[in-house]
Amino acid sequence: MKNILTIMNYTLREAVSRKVFLAFFIISTITILGFLFVFSMYPVTQLIPPDVPKDGKPGTPYFVILTGFLMTPIVSISTLGLLLSVFATSGLITSVMERGTVDLFLSKPVSRIQLMSGRIAGSLLMVLINLLYLITGIWLIFSLFTGFYNWYMLTTILWIFYTFMALFGIIVLLGVITKSSVPGMMSAYFIYIIGSPVLMKKESIFEMISAGPVVKGIINGFYYIVPQTDGIMSKVMFPLLMEGKIVSYEPLIQSGILLLVFLGIALFIFEKKEL
């Protein structure tokens, strides 16, 4: 455990030295300041009809209207946070396999499993710290300017982070296999932007193309081996924000299982791989 913590610390320091942390911080700060400017110039509460009771309980008109104002920014924040996280961490996984770096670590009493586990944990911690800063900052601004404290918004930190972890499993696996950050990064982008949203609408696709059993089998196969990132957003995060409840836990369970499988395979390959 001590070795893993040491490598986590090294990973964070490397992220700082590579200016990854700084870039994250600057972009997040600019985003927060942008929200501060918008809410200070355009009071959101003035857009609510005066006859709407100020009831902040989930599902009430007041709650739905104010939370609705947050939806577009939250979608933008989610996308921005995920894209930045994927870009920032892809290189951290593959850089540890570079000749010289890996030799330095393995010359110490550190196993390959500990090395990669510490690298993974350090990368995830870096992303979590930045998401905490970004989302909490925006939540505070919105809450202070509107007087409306939607505590469910803070849970978006968890769901965005969980979505990233689902993609991160693929980044790690492809990074270990190819020793390049590009395949994992591009695969993660494709899944998040195109793959998962399309697969979530598979039933509509079946009807539209009059799919036969073979086509349905192929699409269903991809549905179960691709992280349901779109489902985490549409069935977990957004319903919780708007109504205070989760529609389905399936995306969380399926994506969590895939994460463990991908990381398990990656660690197995890394342990056996010639570097």
Side-chain angles (χ1 to χ4, degrees):
M1 187 64 182
K2 182 179 178 181
N3 288 338
I4 293 177
L5 292 175
T6 300
I7 296 168
M8 284 177 61
N9 181 54
Y10 176 85
T11 302
L12 291 175
R13 286 192 285 113
E14 181 181 338
V16 172
S17 66
R18 287 187 173 196
K19 305 297 188 295
V20 174
F21 233 124
L22 180 61
F24 242 132
F25 177 78
I26 291 174
I27 294 173
S28 297
T29 301
I30 292 173
T31 304
I32 292 171
L33 291 176
F35 274 90
L36 178 61
F37 174 77
V38 170
F39 284 119
S40 62
M41 295 295 293
Y42 306 99
V44 174
T45 52
Q46 293 183 7
L47 301 176
I48 301 176
D51 58 335
V52 175
K54 292 186 177 181
D55 186 351
K57 294 180 180 179
T60 61
Y62 186 77
F63 182 96
V64 171
I65 291 172
L66 273 179
T67 304
F69 287 127
L70 276 174
M71 294 303 286
T72 299
I74 286 175
V75 171
S76 302
I77 294 167
S78 302
T79 303
L80 174 65
L82 282 167
L83 296 181
L84 287 175
S85 300
V86 168
F87 180 78
T89 55
S90 297
L92 291 175
I93 295 300
T94 54
S95 64
V96 78
M97 293 185 287
E98 294 173 356
R99 181 64 64 184
T101 303
V102 68
D103 294 335
L104 175 64
F105 277 113
L106 296 180
S107 65
K108 304 178 184 297
V110 177
S111 69
R112 290 191 175 202
I113 296 295
Q114 290 175 328
L115 173 58
M116 185 55 70
S117 297
R119 199 67 167 179
I120 291 169
S123 300
L124 292 176
L125 181 59
M126 180 194 71
V127 171
L128 181 59
I129 291 171
N130 281 283
L131 286 176
L132 282 168
Y133 171 63
L134 175 62
I135 303 298
T136 304
I138 292 173
W139 175 80
L140 279 173
I141 290 171
F142 181 83
S143 301
L144 291 174
F145 274 93
T146 63
F148 172 69
Y149 293 81
N150 184 346
W151 297 98
Y152 291 112
M153 182 182 173
L154 291 178
T155 66
T156 59
I157 298 170
L158 173 62
W159 307 129
I160 295 173
F161 183 62
Y162 195 91
T163 302
F164 168 73
M165 286 198 300
L167 296 172
F168 192 59
I170 295 174
I171 293 172
V172 174
L173 177 58
L174 293 180
V176 169
I177 292 174
T178 65
K179 292 187 180 181
S180 171
S181 62
V182 176
M185 183 170 60
M186 297 308 296
S187 297
Y189 285 153
F190 177 80
I191 289 171
Y192 180 70
I193 298 172
I194 299 175
S196 181
V198 169
L199 290 172
M200 286 299 296
K201 297 177 175 61
K202 62 186 180 72
E203 297 301 330
S204 300
I205 294 174
F206 292 158
E207 294 179 4
M208 184 174 61
I209 65 175
S210 300
V214 175
V215 174
K216 286 184 178 180
I218 293 173
I219 294 177
N220 281 326
F222 277 108
Y223 177 81
Y224 288 110
I225 63 172
V226 171
Q228 294 185 18
T229 56
D230 190 71
I232 295 173
M233 298 293 177
S234 62
K235 295 183 178 181
V236 178
M237 188 174 84
F238 292 144
L240 193 59
L241 271 174
M242 295 298 292
E243 303 172 14
K245 63 181 181 181
I246 293 174
V247 173
S248 173
Y249 288 91
E250 180 190 348
L252 298 176
I253 296 171
Q254 190 239 35
S255 299
I257 292 173
L258 287 175
L259 170 64
L260 295 176
V261 170
F262 291 150
L263 290 183
I265 296 173
L267 290 173
F268 176 79
I269 294 174
F270 183 70
E271 187 177 25
K272 305 296 182 182
K273 192 180 184 71
E274 289 189 13
L275 300 173

